[in-house]
Amino acid sequence: MTPSEWPLRFVPRRSPPLWRATLITVAAFVGAMVIRGLLLGWDQAAGLSATYFPAFIIATLYAGPRFGWISWVGVMVLGWFGPNAVISTLSREAVLAQFGVSGAATVLVAQGLREALLRLDESIAAEAKVQANLIATEQRFRTLADSAPVLMWVSKMDGSREFVNRAYLDFLGLDYDSAMRFDWRALIHPDDLDRMAAEEAASTVSGGDFIWEARYRRANGEYPWIRSVSQRRFLPSGELSGYIGVGYDISDSKRAQADLTRINDLLAERVQAALSERDVAEAALRRAQKMEAVGQLTGGVAHDFNNLLTVIIGALDLMQRHPGDAARRERMIEAAQGAARRGERLTQQLLAFSRRQALKPELISVDEVLAESEPLLRRAVGEAVTLTLTLGTGGAISSIDPSQFEAAVMNLVVNARDATPQGGGIRVETHSCTLAAGEAEDAPAGDYLCVAVHDTGEGMDADVAARVFEPFFTTKETGRGTGLGLSQVYGFARQSGGAVTVETAPGKGATLRIYLPLAAAGAARAVATSEPALSDHGPARRILLVEDDASVGEMVEAMLADLGHEVLRAEAAAPALDILEAPGRIDLMLTDLIMPGGMDGVQLAHAAVALRPGLPVILTSGYTGDTLGAAAEAPWPLLAKPYPAEALAAIIDAVMGKTSATA
C-alpha cells in the first residue's frame, strides 16, 4: 500500500454504526473548536470560522454524508445564536449565508470524494479479483492440458506456438522454450511429406480448419500415426489470430484397419474358394441329376420299346409259324405296323423334348388351327368335362410346325382332362402379349402369341410343378400315361423359339401357357413337303443311296427298287464321292444326315453338287443332332425317319419335278 492509498483504508465501505459515526463527528468538531480556541481565544471557540470545514470533510468521509450534513446544520444553528467572532464589516446574516454556502460546498465535495474513493477501491478490488480468477483459470487450464493424454497447442498466424502441453513436450523430447519454436514439418515421415504439403496448401486456400493424419517421429525415433485437428481462433474484433489444436495417436486404429482389410481379403479369398467348391458341388449335382434323368429316360424308353418290340416280334413269329393263315397274317401285319407307328410317335416326342426334331415351320393362324381342331379336342375331352375355346389373337401369325403344334395342344388338353374331375372345365384361350426379359424362361423380350390351357383340377404343389416337363415323369397311375406329353410340349415350344410355363397351386387348378414368337411377313421358309400317296411314281431313276446303317440301307434300297428305281449304295461320304467322281449317270442322291468319317450329309451334298452341278439331293434322318441348324439352312428338303414308301416316292417326284398340283 502506497502512502497515498492508506487513508482510503479508513473510509468505511458502508456507513458505520450510529455510535461510531456520532463519535467521529463530535470528535471532528471538538477538535475544530479546540483549534479555534487556541488561535482566537476560548471565548471565540464556538464562533463561525473556516476551521469547521475540515470537520465537515472528516464527518462526511468517515461517518457518512448524513453526518456531514448534520454537522453543517449544527454549525449553522450555532452561528445563528452564538457570538459572531468574525471580524467583518458584513452583517451577521451575510456572514451566516456566506459560511452556509461554503460549508455546504465543502460537504458536497467531501461526499463526492468519498463516493469516488469508494468506487476506486471497489474497482481495484474487482480488478484484483479478476486477476486472481484469471490466474486460477490459467492454472486450471494448464493443469488440465498437462494431464490430457493428447498433444495440445495454441499457435499464431505465423505458425509459432503460444502454448504447448506436457504431452507435446514429451512427444518432442524438448523443453518448453525449444518446443515453442520447433517446426513440426521436420517430424513428418518422408512417405507422408508430399501428401501433407498438398493437404496444407489446399486447407490454406479454403481458409477452413485443418484435419490431418500422418506419421510423426517422436523423441524415441518411432513413427506413430497422429491425427491432428486445428480450429481457427479469433480476436474480439473478429480478426483471425491463429489456431488451437489437438493431436492424438491413431496407430491402433490404423493397425486395426489394416488387420480388417487383411481379414476382408482373406475372407474374400475363402468366400471365393467356397464359391468354387459350391460350383464344383453344383456341377457334380447337375451331373448326378442328369444321370438320374438319363437313367429315368432310358428306363422309360426301354419299357415302352420293349412293349412295342413284344408286339412286333410276336406278330412276326406267328406269321412265320403259320405262313398259310392269310387272315392271321393280315391281323399280325396290322398289329406290327401299329406298334411301329407308336414307336415312331415315341421317338418324335423324345426328339421334340430334346429339341433335336426337324420341325417343318409354316406361317399359320393359330386361331384358325385351333378352331379346326376343336371337334377333335372335344372328342378327346369327353362329355364329363366342359371345354371352352376363347380365341383372341385376331388372326395373328406364327411360324411353327402345325402338326407339332396340334400335338402340343392335344397333349395339354388331355393332361388337363386327366387332372379335372367330372363336372369340371377346361378353357383354351389365345391372346397376343409382350414379354419382358426374364419373364419366361430363356425367352427373349419381344412380342409373342400365348396359348393358355386352364383346368379346374386339384392343381400341383411346387415340387411336382418343378418336374412336370421331365420325360417319363407322371403322377398318373400305371398304364394311364407315358410321361412324355408335357415333355413334347416343352421341346416344341423351345425349338420354335418360345417358352412354356406352368402356374398352379394345390386346390387351385393349373394353367399351362405356350409362348410362340409372332412372325413377320415373309419370315418363314417352307421346309416341309406333302406326303400324299401317288399312284404314278414316274420313270425309273438312277439313285445314289448313302446310308451307314446296313439294315436301313437294305430296307430303303428295297423300297426304291419296288418303286422301279436303280440304286447305287454307299455306306459313308468317301465312297459316295468316289461314285460321284466316276463316270455314269446319277439322277438323284438320297443321303443320311449323320454319318461316320468326319463328313455329315449336308457337307456331302455340297461336295456332290460341286462335282455334279444341279444334282438333286434329298436329306434324311431320324435324329439331326448338332446338324439341325445346317439342315434347316440347306437348300434341300429333309425327309424324317421313319417314312413309308409313299412318302419316299412323293418327295422323289417333288424334287424331280413330277409332282401333281396337290403335291
Side-chain angles (χ1 to χ4, degrees):
M1 183 182 299
T2 61
S4 60
E5 293 178 351
W6 70 265
L8 297 177
R9 299 301 90 200
F10 298 99
V11 177
R13 298 298 183 268
R14 54 187 175 180
S15 297
L18 179 61
W19 66 269
R20 185 181 299 174
T22 303
L23 181 61
I24 291 173
T25 303
V26 171
F29 280 95
V30 169
M33 295 177 65
V34 169
I35 294 173
R36 181 176 177 80
L38 293 175
L39 294 176
L40 300 178
W42 296 106
D43 56 338
Q44 297 293 327
L48 294 178
S49 173
T51 56
Y52 289 116
F53 293 163
F56 293 158
I57 294 174
I58 292 173
T60 302
L61 287 177
Y62 296 102
R66 290 184 303 167
F67 290 92
W69 289 111
I70 291 173
S71 301
W72 176 78
V73 171
V75 172
M76 290 296 292
V77 172
L78 182 63
W80 180 264
F81 294 102
N84 186 7
V86 179
I87 302 174
S88 174
T89 58
L90 298 176
S91 64
R92 175 185 290 270
E93 292 78 6
V95 171
L96 186 61
Q98 184 179 14
F99 182 84
V101 172
S102 299
T106 301
V107 173
L108 288 174
V109 171
Q111 181 179 353
L113 177 60
R114 184 179 190 276
E115 292 177 356
L117 290 175
L118 291 177
R119 285 196 297 272
L120 177 60
D121 185 63
E122 291 175 356
S123 176
I124 293 173
E127 182 179 357
K129 184 177 180 181
V130 170
Q131 186 68 23
N133 290 338
L134 182 61
I135 294 173
T137 300
E138 183 177 358
Q139 186 62 35
R140 284 195 299 270
F141 169 75
R142 288 183 175 273
T143 301
L144 179 63
D146 287 339
S147 62
V150 297
L151 284 66
M152 301 178 64
W153 65 87
V154 178
S155 64
K156 302 177 183 178
M157 288 299 297
D158 59 2
S160 62
R161 302 290 189 256
E162 289 186 3
F163 167 79
V164 295
N165 69 339
R166 172 57 58 184
Y168 194 99
L169 300 177
D170 294 340
F171 187 90
L172 296 180
L174 300 175
D175 58 43
Y176 192 84
D177 292 337
S178 299
M180 297 287 280
R181 300 187 301 271
F182 192 82
D183 187 358
W184 56 269
R185 295 175 182 84
L187 303 178
I188 299 178
H189 193 283
D191 294 343
D192 299 337
L193 191 58
D194 293 340
R195 175 177 58 83
M196 289 294 293
E199 292 182 4
E200 180 185 11
S203 299
T204 301
V205 171
S206 64
D209 298 335
F210 297 89
I211 301 177
W212 294 333
E213 291 182 2
R215 287 164 291 180
Y216 294 84
R217 187 183 70 252
R218 66 185 309 150
N220 59 5
E222 296 178 352
Y223 276 94
W225 279 92
I226 301 297
R227 177 182 175 87
S228 60
V229 180
S230 298
Q231 294 183 331
R232 294 170 293 175
R233 61 189 184 95
F234 299 91
L235 296 174
S237 62
E239 181 183 359
L240 180 64
S241 62
Y243 294 85
I244 180 170
V246 296
Y248 50 95
D249 193 333
I250 59 171
S251 300
D252 290 342
S253 63
K254 286 290 185 180
R255 283 191 292 269
Q257 183 178 359
D259 292 342
L260 181 60
T261 302
R262 187 165 54 254
I263 291 173
N264 286 338
D265 293 340
L266 179 60
L267 181 60
E269 294 177 0
R270 293 186 176 179
V271 168
Q272 187 61 41
L275 291 176
S276 300
E277 293 178 0
R278 184 204 63 184
D279 293 341
V280 172
E282 288 182 351
L285 177 61
R286 285 193 295 270
R287 286 194 297 271
Q289 291 173 337
K290 288 179 181 178
M291 292 303 296
E292 180 182 359
V294 169
Q296 186 179 29
L297 177 62
T298 304
V301 171
H303 176 270
D304 285 358
F305 268 100
N306 281 335
N307 290 337
L308 299 175
L309 291 174
T310 299
V311 175
I312 295 172
I313 294 172
L316 294 175
D317 181 65
L318 288 174
M319 286 189 294
Q320 187 178 28
R321 289 182 355 183
H322 304 281
D325 190 342
R328 183 191 297 269
R329 185 175 61 251
E330 290 298 324
R331 290 197 308 272
M332 293 302 101
I333 289 175
E334 290 179 1
Q337 287 180 339
R341 292 190 184 96
R342 288 198 301 273
E344 178 185 2
R345 289 194 297 271
L346 179 61
T347 57
Q348 287 176 348
Q349 289 177 325
L350 290 172
L351 291 174
F353 173 75
S354 63
R355 294 186 292 170
R356 290 295 184 266
Q357 186 180 24
L359 299 181
K360 301 174 183 179
E362 299 178 8
L363 288 174
I364 66 170
S365 170
V366 170
D367 285 0
E368 292 180 2
V369 172
L370 290 176
E372 293 173 359
S373 303
E374 183 177 0
L376 181 61
L377 295 176
R378 291 192 181 279
R379 285 196 297 272
V381 170
E383 298 180 356
V385 177
T386 303
L387 176 66
T388 304
L389 266 67
T390 305
L391 307 179
T393 64
I397 302 298
S398 182
S399 179
I400 55 176
D401 187 319
S403 61
Q404 289 295 320
F405 171 68
E406 291 175 356
V409 174
M410 178 63 72
N411 283 329
L412 291 179
V413 171
V414 170
N415 194 71
R417 178 203 65 190
D418 294 341
T420 303
Q422 293 187 359
I426 299 173
R427 186 174 78 258
V428 179
E429 65 177 27
T430 63
H431 62 273
S432 299
C433 63
T434 300
L435 292 181
E439 187 173 349
E441 181 182 4
D442 293 341
D447 296 328
Y448 287 83
L449 187 153
C450 177
V451 180
V453 178
H454 310 269
D455 67 64
T456 58
E458 292 300 322
M460 298 171 282
D461 58 29
D463 293 336
V464 174
R467 301 186 61 190
V468 293
F469 299 119
E470 293 182 9
F472 296 103
F473 175 78
T474 179
T475 58
K476 302 173 185 177
E477 60 270 18
T478 303
R480 290 207 60 194
T482 63
L484 285 173
L486 293 182
S487 300
Q488 182 270 338
V489 176
Y490 176 85
F492 163 73
R494 298 291 295 275
Q495 195 171 356
S496 299
V500 59
T501 63
V502 58
E503 179 182 341
T504 183
K508 301 294 184 180
T511 300
L512 283 93
R513 295 182 176 89
I514 303 177
Y515 294 96
L516 300 172
L518 291 174
R525 180 177 64 86
V527 297
T529 59
S530 300
E531 300 178 353
L534 297 176
S535 59
D536 182 10
H537 301 306
R541 298 179 175 89
R542 199 163 188 252
I543 299 176
L544 173 59
L545 173 62
V546 187
E547 174 61 60
D548 62 297
D549 190 297
S551 299
V552 175
E554 183 177 352
M555 180 62 67
V556 175
E557 183 179 359
M559 294 169 63
L560 291 173
D562 189 60
L563 292 172
H565 302 302
E566 179 185 355
V567 181
L568 301 177
R569 288 279 305 277
E571 295 182 353
L577 291 176
D578 293 337
I579 295 174
L580 290 168
E581 291 174 353
R585 179 175 61 88
I586 297 178
D587 299 318
L588 174 69
M589 184 175 73
L590 178 64
T591 177
D592 194 11
L593 266 181
I594 301 176
M595 295 182 297
M599 181 179 288
D600 60 37
V602 176
Q603 295 169 333
L604 173 60
H606 283 289
V609 172
L611 290 173
R612 293 178 179 249
L615 176 67
V617 176
I618 298 175
L619 303 175
T620 179
S621 181
Y623 176 75
T624 57
D626 294 334
T627 64
L628 177 62
E633 297 295 331
W636 304 289
L638 175 65
L639 179 62
K641 295 179 181 178
Y643 48 83
E646 289 79 5
L648 179 60
I651 197 170
I652 291 175
D653 290 343
V655 170
M656 299 305 296
K658 192 182 178 300
T659 51
S660 64
T662 60

